[in-house]
Coordinates of all heavy atoms in Angstrom, one line a residue:
M1 N 0.9 -1.2 0.0 CA 0.0 0.0 0.0 C 0.9 1.3 0.0 O 1.8 1.4 0.7 CB -0.9 0.0 1.3 CG -1.9 1.0 1.2 SD -3.0 1.1 2.7 CE -3.5 -0.6 3.0
N2 N 0.6 2.1 -0.9 CA 1.5 3.3 -1.0 C 1.0 4.4 0.1 O 0.0 4.2 0.7 CB 1.5 4.0 -2.3 CG 0.2 4.6 -2.8 OD1 -0.5 5.1 -1.9 ND2 -0.1 4.6 -4.0
S3 N 1.9 5.3 0.3 CA 1.6 6.2 1.4 C 0.4 7.1 1.2 O -0.3 7.5 2.1 CB 2.8 7.1 1.7 OG 3.1 7.9 0.6
N4 N 0.1 7.5 -0.1 CA -1.0 8.3 -0.3 C -2.3 7.5 0.0 O -3.3 8.0 0.5 CB -1.1 8.7 -1.8 CG -0.2 9.8 -2.1 OD1 0.3 10.6 -1.2 ND2 0.2 10.0 -3.4
R5 N -2.4 6.2 -0.3 CA -3.5 5.4 -0.1 C -3.7 5.3 1.5 O -4.9 5.4 1.9 CB -3.4 4.1 -0.8 CG -4.6 3.2 -0.6 CD -4.4 1.9 -1.3 NE -5.4 0.9 -0.8 CZ -6.4 0.4 -1.5 NH1 -6.5 0.8 -2.8 NH2 -7.3 -0.3 -1.0
R6 N -2.6 5.0 2.1 CA -2.7 4.9 3.6 C -3.2 6.2 4.3 O -4.1 6.1 5.1 CB -1.3 4.6 4.2 CG -1.2 3.2 4.7 CD 0.2 2.9 5.3 NE 0.9 2.5 4.2 CZ 2.2 2.7 4.0 NH1 2.9 3.3 5.0 NH2 2.9 2.2 3.0
R7 N -2.7 7.3 3.7 CA -3.1 8.6 4.3 C -4.7 8.8 3.9 O -5.4 9.2 4.8 CB -2.4 9.7 3.6 CG -2.6 11.1 4.2 CD -1.5 12.1 3.9 NE -1.9 13.4 4.4 CZ -2.0 14.4 3.8 NH1 -1.6 14.4 2.5 NH2 -2.3 15.6 4.4
F8 N -5.1 8.4 2.7 CA -6.5 8.6 2.4 C -7.4 7.7 3.3 O -8.4 8.2 3.9 CB -6.8 8.2 0.9 CG -8.2 8.1 0.6 CD1 -8.9 9.3 0.4 CD2 -8.9 6.9 0.5 CE1 -10.3 9.3 0.0 CE2 -10.3 6.9 0.3 CZ -10.9 8.0 0.1
L9 N -7.0 6.5 3.6 CA -7.7 5.6 4.4 C -7.8 6.1 5.9 O -8.8 6.0 6.5 CB -7.2 4.2 4.4 CG -7.4 3.5 3.0 CD1 -6.7 2.1 3.0 CD2 -8.8 3.3 2.7
G10 N -6.7 6.7 6.2 CA -6.6 7.3 7.7 C -7.6 8.4 7.8 O -8.4 8.5 8.7
L11 N -7.7 9.3 6.7 CA -8.6 10.4 6.8 C -10.0 10.0 6.8 O -10.9 10.5 7.4 CB -8.3 11.4 5.7 CG -7.0 12.2 5.8 CD1 -6.7 12.9 4.5 CD2 -7.0 13.1 7.0
A12 N -10.3 9.0 5.9 CA -11.6 8.4 5.8 C -12.1 7.9 7.1 O -13.3 8.0 7.4 CB -11.7 7.4 4.6
A13 N -11.2 7.1 7.7 CA -11.6 6.6 9.0 C -12.0 7.6 10.0 O -12.8 7.4 10.9 CB -10.5 5.6 9.6
T14 N -11.3 8.8 10.0 CA -11.7 9.9 10.9 C -12.9 10.6 10.5 O -13.6 11.0 11.3 CB -10.4 10.9 10.9 OG1 -9.3 10.1 11.2 CG2 -10.7 11.9 11.9
A15 N -13.1 10.7 9.2 CA -14.2 11.7 8.7 C -15.5 10.9 8.9 O -16.5 11.6 9.2 CB -14.0 11.8 7.1
V16 N -15.7 9.6 8.8 CA -16.9 9.0 9.2 C -17.5 9.3 10.5 O -18.7 9.7 10.6 CB -16.8 7.5 8.8 CG1 -18.1 6.7 9.2 CG2 -16.6 7.2 7.2
P17 N -16.8 9.1 11.6 CA -17.3 9.4 12.9 C -17.6 10.8 13.0 O -18.6 11.2 13.6 CB -16.3 8.9 13.8 CG -15.4 8.0 13.2 CD -15.5 8.4 11.6
L18 N -16.8 11.7 12.5 CA -17.1 13.1 12.6 C -18.4 13.5 11.8 O -19.2 14.4 12.3 CB -16.0 14.0 12.0 CG -14.7 14.0 12.9 CD1 -13.5 14.7 12.3 CD2 -15.0 14.5 14.3
A19 N -18.6 12.8 10.7 CA -19.8 13.1 10.0 C -21.0 12.7 10.7 O -22.1 13.4 10.7 CB -19.8 12.4 8.5
A20 N -20.9 11.5 11.4 CA -22.0 11.0 12.2 C -22.3 12.0 13.3 O -23.5 12.3 13.7 CB -21.8 9.6 12.7
L21 N -21.3 12.5 14.0 CA -21.4 13.4 15.1 C -22.1 14.7 14.6 O -23.0 15.2 15.2 CB -20.1 13.8 15.6 CG -20.0 14.7 16.8 CD1 -20.7 14.0 18.0 CD2 -18.6 15.1 17.2
G22 N -21.6 15.2 13.5 CA -22.2 16.4 12.9 C -23.7 16.2 12.6 O -24.5 17.1 12.8
A23 N -24.0 15.1 12.1 CA -25.5 14.8 11.8 C -26.3 14.8 13.0 O -27.4 15.3 13.0 CB -25.5 13.5 11.0
S24 N -25.7 14.2 14.0 CA -26.6 14.1 15.3 C -26.7 15.5 15.9 O -27.7 15.8 16.5 CB -26.0 13.1 16.3 OG -24.8 13.5 16.8
S25 N -25.7 16.3 15.8 CA -25.8 17.7 16.3 C -26.8 18.5 15.5 O -27.7 19.1 16.1 CB -24.4 18.4 16.2 OG -23.5 17.8 17.0
A26 N -26.9 18.4 14.2 CA -27.8 19.1 13.4 C -29.2 18.6 13.8 O -30.2 19.3 13.8 CB -27.5 18.9 12.0
W27 N -29.3 17.3 14.0 CA -30.6 16.7 14.2 C -31.1 17.3 15.6 O -32.2 17.6 15.8 CB -30.4 15.2 14.4 CG -31.6 14.4 14.7 CD1 -32.8 14.2 14.0 CD2 -31.7 13.6 15.8 NE1 -33.6 13.3 14.6 CE2 -33.0 13.0 15.8 CE3 -30.9 13.3 17.0 CZ2 -33.4 12.1 16.8 CZ3 -31.3 12.4 17.9 CH2 -32.6 11.9 17.9
A28 N -30.3 17.4 16.6 CA -30.6 17.8 17.9 C -31.1 19.3 17.9 O -32.1 19.8 18.5 CB -29.5 17.7 18.9
A29 N -30.3 20.1 17.0 CA -30.6 21.4 17.0 C -31.9 21.9 16.2 O -32.4 22.9 16.4 CB -29.5 22.2 16.2
A30 N -32.4 20.9 15.5 CA -33.7 21.1 14.8 C -34.9 21.1 15.7 O -36.0 21.6 15.2 CB -33.8 19.9 13.7
C31 N -34.8 20.7 16.9 CA -35.9 20.7 17.8 C -36.3 22.1 18.3 O -37.5 22.4 18.5 CB -35.6 19.9 19.1 SG -35.5 18.2 18.7
Y32 N -35.3 22.9 18.5 CA -35.7 24.3 18.8 C -34.4 25.2 18.6 O -33.3 24.6 18.5 CB -36.1 24.4 20.2 CG -35.0 24.0 21.3 CD1 -34.1 25.0 21.8 CD2 -34.9 22.7 21.6 CE1 -33.2 24.6 22.7 CE2 -33.9 22.3 22.6 CZ -33.0 23.3 23.1 OH -32.0 22.9 23.9
D33 N -34.6 26.5 18.6 CA -33.3 27.3 18.5 C -32.9 27.9 19.8 O -33.6 28.7 20.4 CB -33.8 28.5 17.4 CG -32.6 29.4 17.1 OD1 -31.5 29.1 17.7 OD2 -32.8 30.3 16.4
S34 N -31.9 27.3 20.3 CA -31.4 27.7 21.7 C -31.0 29.2 21.7 O -31.2 29.8 22.7 CB -30.2 26.9 22.1 OG -29.1 27.1 21.2
A35 N -30.7 29.8 20.6 CA -30.3 31.2 20.6 C -31.6 32.1 20.8 O -31.4 33.2 21.2 CB -29.7 31.6 19.3
T36 N -32.8 31.6 20.5 CA -34.0 32.5 20.7 C -34.9 32.1 21.9 O -35.9 32.6 21.9 CB -34.8 32.4 19.4 OG1 -35.2 31.1 19.1 CG2 -34.1 32.9 18.2
L37 N -34.4 31.2 22.7 CA -35.1 30.7 23.8 C -35.3 32.0 24.7 O -34.3 32.7 25.0 CB -34.4 29.7 24.7 CG -34.4 28.3 24.2 CD1 -33.5 27.4 25.1 CD2 -35.9 27.8 24.1
P38 N -36.4 32.2 25.4 CA -36.7 33.3 26.3 C -35.8 33.1 27.5 O -35.4 31.9 27.8 CB -38.1 33.2 26.7 CG -38.7 32.3 25.7 CD -37.7 31.4 25.1
L39 N -35.4 34.2 28.2 CA -34.5 34.1 29.3 C -35.1 33.1 30.4 O -34.4 32.3 31.1 CB -34.2 35.5 29.9 CG -33.3 35.5 31.2 CD1 -31.9 34.9 30.7 CD2 -33.2 37.0 31.6
S40 N -36.4 33.2 30.6 CA -37.1 32.3 31.6 C -36.9 30.9 31.3 O -36.7 30.1 32.2 CB -38.5 32.7 31.7 OG -39.2 32.4 30.4
Q41 N -36.9 30.5 30.0 CA -36.8 29.1 29.6 C -35.3 28.8 29.8 O -35.0 27.7 30.2 CB -37.2 29.0 28.1 CG -37.1 27.5 27.6 CD -38.0 26.5 28.5 OE1 -37.6 25.5 28.7 NE2 -39.2 27.0 28.8
K42 N -34.3 29.7 29.5 CA -32.9 29.4 29.8 C -32.7 29.2 31.2 O -32.0 28.2 31.5 CB -32.1 30.5 29.2 CG -32.0 30.6 27.7 CD -31.2 31.7 27.3 CE -31.1 31.9 25.7 NZ -30.4 33.1 25.2
N43 N -33.2 29.9 32.0 CA -33.1 29.8 33.4 C -33.7 28.6 34.0 O -33.1 27.9 34.9 CB -33.6 31.0 34.1 CG -32.9 32.3 34.0 OD1 -31.7 32.2 33.7 ND2 -33.5 33.4 34.1
R44 N -34.9 28.2 33.5 CA -35.6 27.0 33.9 C -34.7 25.8 33.6 O -34.5 24.8 34.3 CB -36.9 26.9 33.2 CG -37.9 26.0 34.0 CD -39.3 26.1 33.4 NE -39.9 27.4 33.5 CZ -41.0 27.7 32.9 NH1 -41.6 26.8 32.1 NH2 -41.6 28.9 33.0
R45 N -34.1 25.8 32.3 CA -33.3 24.7 31.9 C -32.0 24.6 32.8 O -31.6 23.5 33.1 CB -32.9 24.9 30.4 CG -34.1 24.5 29.5 CD -33.9 24.9 28.1 NE -35.0 24.8 27.3 CZ -35.3 23.9 26.4 NH1 -34.5 23.1 26.0 NH2 -36.5 24.0 25.8
R46 N -31.5 25.7 33.1 CA -30.3 25.8 33.9 C -30.6 25.2 35.3 O -29.8 24.4 35.8 CB -29.7 27.2 34.0 CG -28.4 27.3 34.6 CD -27.7 28.7 34.6 NE -27.8 29.2 33.3 CZ -28.4 30.4 32.9 NH1 -29.1 31.0 33.8 NH2 -28.4 30.8 31.7
S47 N -31.8 25.6 35.8 CA -32.1 25.1 37.2 C -32.3 23.6 37.3 O -32.1 23.2 38.4 CB -33.3 25.9 37.7 OG -34.5 25.5 37.0
I48 N -32.7 23.0 36.3 CA -32.9 21.5 36.4 C -31.7 20.8 35.8 O -31.7 19.6 35.6 CB -34.3 21.1 35.8 CG1 -34.3 21.3 34.3 CG2 -35.4 21.7 36.5 CD1 -35.5 20.7 33.6
G49 N -30.7 21.5 35.4 CA -29.5 20.9 34.8 C -29.6 20.2 33.4 O -29.2 19.2 33.2
Y50 N -30.5 20.9 32.5 CA -30.7 20.4 31.3 C -29.5 20.3 30.5 O -28.7 21.1 30.5 CB -31.7 21.3 30.5 CG -32.0 20.8 29.2 CD1 -33.0 19.9 28.9 CD2 -31.5 21.4 28.0 CE1 -33.3 19.4 27.7 CE2 -31.8 21.0 26.7 CZ -32.7 20.0 26.5 OH -33.0 19.6 25.3
M51 N -29.2 19.1 29.9 CA -28.0 18.9 29.0 C -28.5 18.4 27.6 O -29.4 17.5 27.6 CB -27.2 17.8 29.6 CG -26.6 18.0 31.0 SD -25.8 16.6 31.7 CE -27.2 15.6 32.1
E52 N -28.0 19.0 26.6 CA -28.4 18.6 25.2 C -28.1 17.1 25.0 O -28.9 16.5 24.1 CB -27.7 19.4 24.2 CG -28.2 20.8 24.1 CD -29.7 20.8 23.7 OE1 -30.1 19.9 22.9 OE2 -30.4 21.8 24.0
A53 N -27.1 16.6 25.5 CA -26.8 15.1 25.3 C -26.7 14.4 26.6 O -25.8 14.8 27.4 CB -25.5 15.0 24.5
A54 N -27.5 13.5 26.8 CA -27.5 12.8 28.1 C -26.2 12.0 28.3 O -25.7 11.3 27.4 CB -28.6 11.8 28.2
A55 N -25.5 12.2 29.5 CA -24.3 11.5 29.8 C -24.6 9.9 29.9 O -23.9 9.1 29.6 CB -23.7 12.0 31.0
D56 N -25.8 9.6 30.5 CA -26.2 8.3 30.6 C -27.3 8.0 29.7 O -28.4 8.5 29.8 CB -26.7 8.1 32.1 CG -27.1 6.7 32.4 OD1 -27.2 5.8 31.5 OD2 -27.5 6.4 33.6
P57 N -27.1 7.1 28.7 CA -28.2 6.8 27.7 C -29.5 6.3 28.4 O -30.6 6.5 27.9 CB -27.6 5.7 26.9 CG -26.2 5.7 27.1 CD -26.0 6.4 28.5
A58 N -29.4 5.7 29.6 CA -30.6 5.3 30.2 C -31.5 6.3 30.9 O -32.6 6.2 31.4 CB -30.3 4.3 31.4
R59 N -31.0 7.6 30.9 CA -31.6 8.8 31.4 C -31.9 9.8 30.3 O -32.0 11.0 30.7 CB -30.8 9.3 32.6 CG -30.6 8.4 33.7 CD -29.8 9.0 34.8 NE -30.2 10.1 35.4 CZ -31.0 10.1 36.5 NH1 -31.4 9.0 37.0 NH2 -31.4 11.3 37.0
R60 N -32.2 9.4 29.1 CA -32.5 10.3 28.1 C -34.0 10.7 28.3 O -34.8 10.0 28.8 CB -32.4 9.6 26.7 CG -31.0 9.5 26.3 CD -31.0 8.8 24.9 NE -29.5 8.6 24.6 CZ -29.1 7.6 24.0 NH1 -29.9 6.6 23.5 NH2 -27.8 7.5 23.6
C61 N -34.2 11.9 27.7 CA -35.7 12.4 27.8 C -36.7 11.5 27.2 O -37.8 11.4 27.7 CB -35.7 13.8 27.0 SG -34.8 15.2 27.8
A62 N -36.2 10.8 26.2 CA -37.2 9.8 25.4 C -37.6 8.8 26.5 O -38.7 8.2 26.2 CB -36.4 9.1 24.3
G63 N -37.0 8.5 27.5 CA -37.4 7.5 28.5 C -38.0 8.2 29.8 O -38.2 7.5 30.8
C64 N -38.2 9.4 29.8 CA -38.6 10.1 30.9 C -40.2 10.2 31.0 O -40.8 10.4 30.0 CB -38.0 11.6 31.0 SG -38.5 12.6 32.4
A65 N -40.7 10.1 32.2 CA -42.2 10.2 32.3 C -42.6 11.6 32.0 O -43.9 11.7 31.7 CB -42.5 9.9 33.9
F66 N -41.8 12.6 32.0 CA -42.3 14.0 31.7 C -42.3 14.3 30.2 O -42.6 15.4 29.8 CB -41.5 15.0 32.4 CG -41.6 14.9 34.0 CD1 -40.5 14.5 34.7 CD2 -42.7 15.2 34.6 CE1 -40.6 14.4 36.1 CE2 -42.9 15.0 35.9 CZ -41.7 14.7 36.6
F67 N -41.9 13.4 29.4 CA -41.6 13.6 27.9 C -42.8 13.0 27.2 O -43.2 11.9 27.3 CB -40.2 12.9 27.6 CG -39.9 13.0 26.1 CD1 -39.2 14.2 25.7 CD2 -40.2 12.0 25.2 CE1 -38.9 14.3 24.3 CE2 -39.7 12.2 23.9 CZ -39.1 13.3 23.5
T68 N -43.2 13.8 26.2 CA -44.2 13.3 25.2 C -43.5 13.6 23.8 O -43.2 14.6 23.4 CB -45.5 14.3 25.2 OG1 -46.0 14.2 26.6 CG2 -46.5 13.8 24.3
A69 N -43.4 12.5 23.1 CA -42.7 12.5 21.7 C -43.5 13.3 20.8 O -44.8 13.4 20.9 CB -42.6 11.1 21.3
A70 N -42.8 14.1 20.0 CA -43.4 14.8 18.9 C -42.8 14.4 17.6 O -42.7 13.2 17.3 CB -43.3 16.3 19.2
E71 N -42.3 15.3 16.8 CA -41.6 14.9 15.6 C -40.3 14.1 15.9 O -39.8 14.2 17.0 CB -41.2 16.2 14.8 CG -40.3 17.2 15.5 CD -40.3 18.5 14.8 OE1 -41.3 19.2 14.8 OE2 -39.3 18.7 14.1
E72 N -39.8 13.4 15.0 CA -38.7 12.6 15.2 C -37.5 13.3 15.9 O -37.0 14.3 15.5 CB -38.1 12.0 13.9 CG -37.1 10.9 14.1 CD -36.7 10.3 12.8 OE1 -37.4 10.6 11.7 OE2 -35.6 9.7 12.7
G73 N -37.2 12.7 17.1 CA -36.0 13.2 17.8 C -36.3 14.3 18.8 O -35.5 14.8 19.5
C74 N -37.6 14.7 18.9 CA -38.0 15.9 19.6 C -39.3 15.6 20.4 O -39.9 14.5 20.1 CB -38.4 17.1 18.7 SG -37.0 17.6 17.6
G75 N -39.5 16.4 21.4 CA -40.7 16.1 22.2 C -41.0 17.3 23.1 O -40.2 18.2 23.1
N76 N -42.0 17.2 23.9 CA -42.3 18.2 24.9 C -42.0 17.7 26.3 O -42.4 16.6 26.6 CB -43.8 18.6 24.8 CG -44.2 19.8 25.6 OD1 -43.6 20.9 25.4 ND2 -44.9 19.6 26.6
C77 N -41.4 18.5 27.0 CA -41.1 18.2 28.5 C -42.1 19.0 29.4 O -42.3 20.2 29.2 CB -39.8 18.7 28.9 SG -39.4 18.6 30.6
L78 N -42.9 18.2 30.2 CA -43.9 18.9 31.1 C -43.2 19.7 32.1 O -43.8 20.7 32.5 CB -44.7 17.7 31.8 CG -45.7 17.0 30.8 CD1 -46.4 15.9 31.7 CD2 -46.7 18.0 30.3
M79 N -42.0 19.3 32.6 CA -41.3 20.1 33.6 C -40.9 21.5 33.0 O -41.0 22.5 33.7 CB -40.0 19.4 34.1 CG -40.2 18.2 34.8 SD -40.8 18.6 36.5 CE -39.3 19.2 37.2
L80 N -40.5 21.5 31.7 CA -40.1 22.8 31.2 C -41.2 23.4 30.4 O -41.1 24.6 30.0 CB -38.9 22.6 30.2 CG -37.6 22.1 30.8 CD1 -36.6 21.6 29.7 CD2 -37.0 23.1 31.8
N81 N -42.3 22.7 30.1 CA -43.3 23.2 29.2 C -42.7 23.7 27.9 O -43.1 24.8 27.4 CB -44.2 24.3 29.9 CG -45.5 24.5 29.2 OD1 -46.0 23.6 28.4 ND2 -46.0 25.7 29.4
A82 N -41.9 23.0 27.3 CA -41.2 23.4 26.1 C -40.6 22.2 25.3 O -40.6 21.0 25.9 CB -40.1 24.3 26.4
T83 N -40.2 22.4 24.2 CA -39.6 21.4 23.4 C -38.2 21.0 23.8 O -37.4 22.0 24.1 CB -39.6 21.9 21.9 OG1 -41.0 22.2 21.5 CG2 -39.0 20.8 21.0
V84 N -37.9 19.7 23.8 CA -36.6 19.3 24.2 C -36.2 18.2 23.1 O -37.0 17.7 22.4 CB -36.5 18.7 25.6 CG1 -36.8 19.7 26.6 CG2 -37.4 17.6 25.8
N85 N -34.8 18.0 23.2 CA -34.4 16.8 22.3 C -34.6 15.5 23.1 O -34.3 15.4 24.2 CB -32.9 17.1 22.1 CG -32.6 18.3 21.4 OD1 -33.3 18.6 20.3 ND2 -31.7 19.2 21.8
A86 N -34.9 14.5 22.3 CA -35.2 13.2 22.9 C -33.9 12.6 23.5 O -34.0 11.8 24.5 CB -35.7 12.2 21.8
G87 N -32.7 13.0 23.0 CA -31.5 12.6 23.6 C -30.9 13.4 24.7 O -29.8 13.1 25.1
A88 N -31.6 14.4 25.1 CA -31.2 15.2 26.2 C -31.5 14.6 27.5 O -32.0 13.5 27.6 CB -31.9 16.7 26.1
S89 N -31.2 15.2 28.6 CA -31.5 14.8 29.9 C -31.4 16.0 31.0 O -31.0 17.1 30.6 CB -30.5 13.7 30.4 OG -31.0 13.0 31.6
C90 N -31.8 15.7 32.1 CA -31.6 16.7 33.1 C -31.8 16.0 34.6 O -32.0 14.8 34.7 CB -32.8 17.7 33.1 SG -34.3 17.3 33.9
G91 N -31.6 16.8 35.6 CA -31.5 16.3 37.0 C -32.9 15.8 37.4 O -33.0 15.2 38.5
S92 N -34.0 16.2 36.8 CA -35.4 15.8 37.2 C -35.9 14.6 36.5 O -37.1 14.3 36.5 CB -36.3 17.0 36.9 OG -36.0 18.1 37.8
F93 N -34.9 14.0 35.7 CA -35.4 12.8 35.0 C -36.1 11.8 35.9 O -35.7 11.5 37.0 CB -34.1 12.0 34.5 CG -34.4 10.7 33.8 CD1 -34.8 10.6 32.5 CD2 -34.4 9.5 34.6 CE1 -35.1 9.4 31.9 CE2 -34.7 8.3 34.0 CZ -35.1 8.2 32.6
A94 N -37.2 11.2 35.4 CA -38.0 10.3 36.2 C -38.3 9.2 35.1 O -38.9 9.4 34.1 CB -39.3 10.9 36.6
P95 N -37.9 7.9 35.4 CA -38.1 6.9 34.4 C -39.6 6.7 34.2 O -40.5 6.7 35.1 CB -37.4 5.6 35.1 CG -37.3 5.9 36.5 CD -37.3 7.5 36.7
R96 N -39.9 6.4 32.9 CA -41.3 6.3 32.5 C -41.7 4.9 33.1 O -41.0 3.9 33.1 CB -41.3 6.2 30.9 CG -42.6 6.2 30.3 CD -42.5 6.1 28.8 NE -41.7 7.1 28.3 CZ -42.1 8.2 27.6 NH1 -43.5 8.3 27.6 NH2 -41.4 9.1 27.2
G97 N -43.0 4.8 33.6 CA -43.5 3.7 34.1 C -43.7 2.5 33.0 O -43.8 2.9 31.9
K98 N -43.7 1.3 33.5 CA -43.9 0.2 32.5 C -45.3 -0.4 32.5 O -46.0 -0.2 33.4 CB -42.8 -0.9 32.7 CG -41.4 -0.3 32.4 CD -40.4 -1.3 32.6 CE -39.0 -0.6 32.3 NZ -37.9 -1.5 32.6
Ligands
LIG101 S1 -37.8 16.3 33.0 FE1 -37.4 14.5 31.7 S2 -38.2 15.2 29.7 FE2 -37.8 17.1 30.9 S3 -35.7 17.7 30.5 FE3 -35.6 16.4 32.3 S4 -35.2 14.3 31.5 FE4 -35.9 15.6 29.8

């Protein structure tokens, strides 16, 4: 294998995960525009420790009792009374009953 081919394969291996990361970021941002959130909503999110990406997949909004699914990847949070990302989380997470 020549060095150009090795270099190309190395770049390709790096680009695929970055592309996937970029796609998930764009997907999350489509639920709402964080730049235009009212200050009260920003404060409410801060007070409950809202995170755009759940550190623990088992505590995602999608599995929370306060979450109602809407369009793909988005939903409404009863705690915030606002749209959130299904993959987000916060300190008020409550597992959905079975
Ligand atoms: S209360 Fe539940 S649905 Fe609302 S932000 Fe927290 S984890 Fe997500």
Side-chain angles (χ1 to χ4, degrees):
M1 188 180 317
N2 69 33
S3 64
N4 283 343
R5 184 180 164 112
R6 247 180 278 146
R7 187 163 177 235
F8 171 79
L9 291 174
L11 288 172
T14 304
V16 170
L18 289 177
L21 182 65
S24 67
S25 296
W27 178 65
C31 292
Y32 65 92
D33 183 358
S34 61
T36 60
L37 282 177
L39 182 59
S40 61
Q41 186 58 224
K42 289 179 181 173
N43 288 339
R44 205 176 291 168
R45 286 172 192 245
R46 193 175 306 120
S47 72
I48 65 171
Y50 180 80
M51 299 172 287
E52 284 297 332
D56 179 356
R59 297 177 62 90
R60 288 182 179 142
C61 292
C64 179
F66 298 114
F67 182 82
T68 304
E71 59 193 74
E72 189 177 341
C74 305
N76 186 63
C77 170
L78 286 175
M79 290 288 286
L80 296 170
N81 193 26
T83 300
V84 295
N85 297 312
S89 189
C90 83
S92 295
F93 174 86
R96 191 182 302 260
K98 294 182 181 174

